[in-house]
Amino acid sequence: MGKVADFSIGPFVEKSVRVPYIFDSMQAEARKYGTLKVHQSDESYPYGVRKGTHAYVPFMQKDRLSEMALSYLLKDWIQPEQKSHYYLVFKEIYPFSDLALLERMSDELFEAGIPFIASVHPVFSNTDYPAMKRYMNALKYMQSRNGTILVEAPVVASTIQDLDRSLYRQMEHFIDVLAAEGIVPLGMGTEMYWSYDDHYVSEGMAFFDSVILFPDERPMPKAKRNRSEAFSSSMYSVNPEFLQRYLADGRLIDPPPVDTAITLNFVQKESELETMIEELKNSWITFEDYKNGSHTVHTGTYELKSQLGSLLLNGERLGIQADRQEASSDYVYKEQERKSFETWFNVQNMVFIVIIFITLVVFSVFLIIGNRMYKRKYYK
């Protein structure tokens, strides 16, 4: 009990881990996972042990190697035959993001042969504005460059104030707007606490059978429960820094035992984009196309699916080729109301303007005459 050990599993290593318990098994049928090499000793112990339908690990800490190590045991315990893949995910994409930079990133990744996923924030109102049209054009262009669209959970401002009295209808409305533009979202991106909340599950996540669960940053539950909603596809999301922190030789080729989403925030500057693209090109990781899996999104109007790399909208295969489009800025944001006596007031305004102009001219003439008379007094 209370030992300090070096922890290793697969290609990952964490030095000087303080572990509460260390154990081993003498049973020949038991399978062992990972290694805990005790400091100041030649003793080594497994991290996890599994035998039949029973499995055991001594500890698991958030955002540490044990979080990843647990997946090695869970994979064999629950789904031993399922293959795992890497996916590249970008989040923090808004209507007011740099859409030109977003399209450039899509081009760079497409030319490099890297499929990607974009988790985009929804818009619940004013969806007929030119800004929204530009947003839709950018998302459609990303989709045409081998990108997959996910709907990201809306920002929750407060636990006291409702996110919205009709979250279900607003989420459905945004999905329908995407589908009407030929954009096929295949799932949802959200912080993990949404899947542990009755309100968010029933109102916001009910349309999707596939999700990517991001680590909780600022949980604000409404109807918290102690179990998570299950989805057909639910990837383990990590950022590159987490992986690099524990890689033994700095390279990662084979994916971890579970489908893993390498998650990045969308960049804000061209210099940041160039650096990020270069790092992805030089990476040893091979990313999978999310569309190769089976994902379905349902609303009252649309059924959106992926099947063997193709997108289907209400059962019809969708062509995803799209060119860059410009949205017109000519838009009447508010209907003009009918005005009474508008012509009469316009005439009246013109009369007043003419009178004021004539008055200014007369005043200027008197000013000039007075100035000349004032100067003549001194000539004499």
Side-chain angles (χ1 to χ4, degrees):
M1 296 178 62
K3 300 290 186 180
V4 176
D6 293 337
F7 183 13
S8 62
I9 188 166
F12 304 102
V13 174
E14 184 178 7
K15 298 289 186 179
S16 301
V17 180
R18 185 170 294 277
V19 297
Y21 304 101
I22 292 180
F23 69 95
D24 203 345
S25 173
M26 298 298 114
Q27 300 181 31
E29 301 85 358
R31 180 171 178 181
K32 302 177 182 181
Y33 298 81
T35 302
L36 292 166
K37 176 67 172 61
V38 180
H39 282 197
Q40 300 177 348
S41 169
D42 294 332
E43 297 176 330
S44 294
Y45 298 87
Y47 167 68
V49 173
R50 180 180 65 88
K51 180 184 177 183
T53 58
H54 294 82
Y56 181 81
V57 296
F59 63 95
M60 197 280 284
Q61 297 171 312
K62 180 181 177 181
D63 199 34
R64 302 296 293 270
L65 180 56
S66 55
E67 182 179 298
M68 174 71 75
L70 188 61
S71 67
Y72 284 80
L73 186 147
L74 288 174
K75 168 69 182 299
D76 290 345
W77 189 43
I78 298 173
Q79 294 179 316
E81 303 301 324
Q82 182 175 334
K83 292 183 179 180
S84 56
H85 304 91
Y86 287 116
Y87 297 87
L88 177 61
V89 180
F90 295 97
K91 61 188 187 74
E92 300 301 321
I93 298 174
Y94 301 87
F96 50 80
S97 297
D98 189 335
L99 301 182
L101 196 63
L102 195 63
E103 292 180 353
R104 181 184 166 189
M105 182 188 76
S106 304
D107 287 334
E108 295 276 359
L109 293 173
F110 181 75
E111 292 171 6
I114 301 175
F116 64 96
I117 300 169
S119 184
V120 303
H121 278 271
V123 178
F124 292 152
S125 59
N126 302 326
T127 53
D128 54 346
Y129 280 17
M132 181 63 174
K133 183 63 176 179
R134 286 189 287 270
Y135 190 39
M136 292 295 101
N137 289 343
L139 299 186
K140 192 172 183 179
Y141 186 76
M142 275 200 302
Q143 182 176 268
S144 74
R145 309 304 278 176
N146 210 20
T148 299
I149 306 300
L150 300 185
V151 178
E152 189 157 334
V155 176
V156 181
S158 171
T159 55
I160 299 174
Q161 181 181 6
D162 287 345
L163 177 67
D164 193 270
R165 295 177 181 176
S166 182
L167 176 60
Y168 184 93
R169 288 199 298 272
Q170 290 195 322
M171 289 290 287
E172 183 178 43
H173 172 66
F174 181 68
I175 296 169
D176 287 347
V177 169
L178 292 175
E181 293 289 337
I183 301 167
V184 178
L186 294 180
M188 184 179 191
T190 179
E191 292 183 25
M192 187 175 292
Y193 79 92
W194 270 54
S195 68
Y196 284 89
D197 192 286
D198 280 323
H199 175 76
Y200 296 134
V201 166
S202 61
E203 294 290 314
M205 306 178 79
F207 311 96
F208 312 97
D209 72 346
S210 301
V211 298
I212 297 178
L213 297 174
F214 306 128
D216 291 338
E217 294 182 4
R218 198 165 62 111
M220 290 192 175
K222 288 178 65 67
K224 189 176 180 180
R225 65 190 189 189
N226 62 359
R227 61 180 178 84
S228 174
E229 186 72 8
F231 296 88
S232 299
S233 170
S234 178
M235 285 190 280
Y236 175 55
S237 171
V238 295
N239 58 47
E241 291 78 15
F242 176 86
L243 296 177
Q244 291 296 329
R245 190 191 314 161
Y246 300 119
L247 278 176
D249 63 356
R251 296 184 302 173
L252 186 61
I253 301 175
D254 295 330
V258 293
D259 283 341
T260 304
I262 307 297
T263 306
L264 299 167
N265 288 341
F266 176 57
V267 297
Q268 304 296 323
K269 302 177 183 177
E270 288 191 15
S271 58
E272 294 175 349
L273 176 63
E274 293 171 0
T275 301
M276 181 190 67
I277 295 296
E278 196 63 29
E279 290 176 353
L280 290 172
K281 289 180 179 178
N282 296 331
S283 171
W284 292 78
I285 296 176
T286 299
F287 294 104
E288 182 72 9
D289 190 346
Y290 196 68
K291 296 188 293 295
N292 290 336
S294 178
H295 311 283
T296 305
V297 178
H298 283 282
T299 70
T301 307
Y302 294 100
E303 181 188 55
L304 312 169
K305 299 178 65 174
S306 64
Q307 190 176 74
L308 300 175
S310 299
L311 298 177
L312 282 73
L313 196 158
N314 286 345
E316 295 185 6
R317 196 177 302 274
L318 189 69
I320 59 174
Q321 296 302 317
D323 297 323
R324 286 189 175 90
Q325 299 180 16
E326 295 293 335
S328 173
S329 297
D330 297 332
Y331 183 82
V332 179
Y333 286 90
K334 184 177 180 180
E335 291 292 334
Q336 294 185 358
E337 300 176 357
R338 295 187 61 185
K339 300 175 183 178
S340 302
F341 303 107
E342 182 178 8
T343 304
W344 164 249
F345 284 119
N346 286 336
V347 172
Q348 189 178 35
N349 289 338
M350 290 299 298
V351 171
F352 286 141
I353 290 171
V354 170
I355 292 174
I356 292 171
F357 179 74
I358 293 174
T359 303
L360 289 174
V361 170
V362 172
F363 179 77
S364 299
V365 170
F366 279 112
L367 190 64
I368 293 171
I369 293 174
N371 183 57
R372 292 173 64 86
M373 293 177 66
Y374 185 75
K375 286 181 178 181
R376 287 177 181 175
K377 290 173 59 179
Y378 293 95
Y379 291 158
K380 294 179 181 181

